[in-house]
Amino acid sequence: MIVVLLGPPGCGKGTQGERLAAALGVPKISTGDVIRAAMKAGTPLGLKAKSYYDRGDLVPDDLIMEIIKGALAAPEQGKGAILDGVVRTVPQAEGLAGVLASLGRKLDLVLLFEIADEELVGRLSARTVCEACQSPFMGRQPGQLHADCAKEPKGHLVRRKDDEPEAIRNRLKVYQAQTAPVVAWYKANNGPLTAIDALGTVDGVTARVRAAAGLS
Ligand code: AMP
């Protein structure tokens, strides 16, 4: 099953994507995670992406499509993939459709996480993430060791550069300007779009996501 997770920053799509990927037994591909790893390693992708990322702007479509093409062509994606944070622009939606067609695959589901902006600002301002495994935490202070981290060495909690107040405001603006039109594009192109109410407990949202994916 190939599933696109669509929704504003802080809507919980990363957390829900992890759970859905585990339930379906498929990998989760997060372009944000790929970009953060590339920046940390100082690769050419990381160097090109950094200034966009730090401001909370979108990284250019051609870089994103390179990531997606490579990731979807990997053999372990045979059973499918959860795409977290892709697609974010109409050209990416068109590009993904082309990549899937060339692989003889199709998009099974687009989950649109809906939630009010005020809730998102609160969540992102209170968020820290593990620098090693990227797991998000609410209300935990930067610097703490992530004792349950699956990576070795275990990571510490950090604030994401793009969770600074100015970058948060910009990311919400960017979402409205560049990503919201993707919803209209899927509607116009018979995309398999299902809206999910993203407010509530993590488990409550998971139940809605599972139902949308046809899981009990
Ligand atoms: P995320 O971890 O999904 O919140 O993404 C963090 C940042 O990575 C975004 O604000 C963008 O700068 C960049 N990014 C991730 N995915 C994409 C994408 N599909 N298109 C453009 N930029 C992206």
Side-chain angles (χ1 to χ4, degrees), residues 9 13 30-33 35-36 49 52-54 56-61 64 84-89 92 127 160 162 171:
K13 57 189 185 302
S30 157
T31 37
D33 286 352
I35 291 166
R36 279 183 286 279
Y52 299 97
Y53 181 99
D54 285 351
D57 281 338
L58 294 186
V59 170
D61 288 332
I64 298 296
D84 166 16
V86 194
V87 298
R88 272 171 144 113
T89 65
Q92 289 179 24
R127 174 166 81 172
R160 276 172 47 168
D162 60 341
R171 287 160 71 201

